[in-house]
């Protein structure tokens, strides 16, 4: 009989573990009716509501919300079995941010949503640039848009003719640069950065003012000349000191 009981105990433990595994597997979350991670497209301004719900739970479950790696503060009545957060107003800084709902007692049970906030181009950058003749100039047009736009440069309302030896373009997702080597008086004018996207167009003017080349004062040469003259006078006086003393 003792031998039979020793066999029955492990068998009962296996059944208990299997039952707990089934319960744990059945427990899941959903955010806005999505049981898996998803991307939510939004526009600037209107609020976004995210609702997290516990499914297949036999007890009350506490929920946690995260914005990126930071935990979101929730009211006491907004934590158990169902939890809602509101993002208002939606702005550019929310683009690409991940919001995650997690089960408090098992943070591996979670659902994430990535915000895809779409907005037309917004341009910025130094509007007026003073550059001395024959020095290099760089016009930097900062652009934020989603989806990313295509950039074009104009000069005095005409398409800019790029010269391979003098003009250079540099572009990233948020920066459009026009570099001009050894600027000349003919480079004076208004340069316009135009960014086109499916949601609209952005423009920004940059005024390039080419100033006369400054004459470099040869400070070192003047100092050297003064030293030479002073030494010449000094040695001349020393060489003729006897005659000078007789006169006096």
């Amino acid at each position: 009989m003792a031998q039979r009981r020793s066999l029955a105990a492990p068998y009962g433990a296996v059944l208990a573990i299997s039952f707990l595994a089934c319960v744990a597997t059945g427990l899941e979350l959903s955010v806005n009716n999505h049981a898996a991670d998803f991307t939510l497209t939004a526009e600037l301004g209107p609020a976004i509501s995210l609702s997290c719900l516990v499914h297949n739970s036999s007890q009350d479950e506490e929920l946690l919300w995260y914005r990126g790696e930071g935990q979101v503060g929730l009211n006491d009545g907004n934590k158990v079995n169902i939890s809602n957060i509101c993002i208002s107003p939606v702005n550019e800084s929310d683009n690409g941010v991940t919001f995650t709902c997690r089960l408090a007692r098992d943070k591996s049970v979670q659902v994430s949503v990535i915000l895809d906030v779409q907005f037309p181009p917004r341009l910025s950058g130094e509007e007026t640039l003073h550059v001395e003749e024959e020095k290099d100039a760089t016009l930097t047009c900062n652009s934020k848009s989603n989806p990313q736009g295509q950039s074009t440069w104009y000069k005095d309302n005409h398409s800019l003719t790029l010269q391979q030896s003098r003009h250079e373009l540099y572009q990233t997702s948020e920066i459009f640069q026009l570099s001009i080597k050894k600027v000349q008086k003919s480079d004076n004018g208004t340069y316009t950065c135009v960014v086109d996207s499916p949601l609209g167009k952005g423009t920004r003017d940059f005024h390039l003012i080419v100033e006369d080349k400054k004459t470099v004062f040869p400070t070192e040469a003047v100092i050297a000349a003064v030293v030479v003259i002073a030494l010449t006078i000094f040695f001349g006086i020393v060489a003729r000191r006897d005659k000078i003393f007789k006169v006096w």
Side-chain angles (χ1 to χ4, degrees), residues 75-87:
N75 296 327
D76 291 337
N78 189 30
K79 295 181 179 180
V80 180
N81 294 336
I82 185 170
S83 180
N84 300 285
I85 61 172
C86 183
I87 304 143

Side-chain angles (χ1 to χ4, degrees), residues 17-186:
I17 293 172
S18 300
F19 174 76
L20 291 175
C22 290
V23 171
T25 303
L27 184 64
E28 63 179 22
L29 305 179
S30 69
V31 173
N32 290 14
N33 298 321
H34 292 266
D37 297 348
F38 67 103
T39 298
L40 179 62
T41 301
E43 298 178 355
L44 293 178
I48 293 176
S49 180
L50 300 178
S51 180
C52 183
L53 181 64
V54 179
H55 298 273
N56 304 326
S57 175
S58 59
Q59 62 184 44
D60 287 341
E61 298 287 354
E62 182 181 353
L63 297 172
L64 306 174
W65 273 103
Y66 291 82
R67 185 186 195 275
E69 298 298 323
Q71 188 171 344
V72 178
L74 299 174
N75 296 327
D76 291 337
N78 189 30
K79 295 181 179 180
V80 180
N81 294 336
I82 185 170
S83 180
N84 300 285
I85 61 172
C86 183
I87 304 143
S88 178
V90 176
N91 55 49
E92 297 172 8
S93 64
D94 296 316
N95 183 45
V97 175
T98 300
F99 288 86
T100 304
C101 179
R102 291 184 177 134
L103 199 65
R105 69 180 177 90
D106 184 359
K107 295 183 176 60
S108 65
V109 180
Q110 64 176 40
V111 176
S112 295
V113 50
I114 301 174
L115 296 189
D116 177 27
V117 182
Q118 299 193 348
F119 52 93
R122 298 177 182 270
L123 309 185
S124 63
E126 187 177 354
E127 295 182 341
T128 303
L129 187 63
H130 295 263
V131 181
E132 187 179 331
E133 193 174 7
E134 293 194 4
K135 289 191 176 181
D136 296 345
T138 299
L139 306 176
T140 301
C141 179
N142 302 308
S143 172
K144 286 188 176 182
S145 65
N146 183 33
Q148 182 179 342
Q150 297 296 321
S151 67
T152 308
W153 283 97
Y154 293 84
K155 183 190 176 188
D156 298 330
N157 297 321
H158 295 88
S159 295
L160 177 62
T161 302
L162 299 177
Q163 299 176 21
Q164 187 173 0
S165 59
R166 298 190 62 242
H167 298 96
E168 183 177 335
L169 296 178
Y170 173 77
Q171 178 174 340
T172 66
S173 60
E174 294 187 357
I175 295 177
F176 304 114
Q177 282 185 340
L178 170 65
S179 296
I180 307 173
K181 298 180 180 179
K182 296 183 178 180
V183 296
Q184 304 167 2
K185 288 291 185 179
S186 59

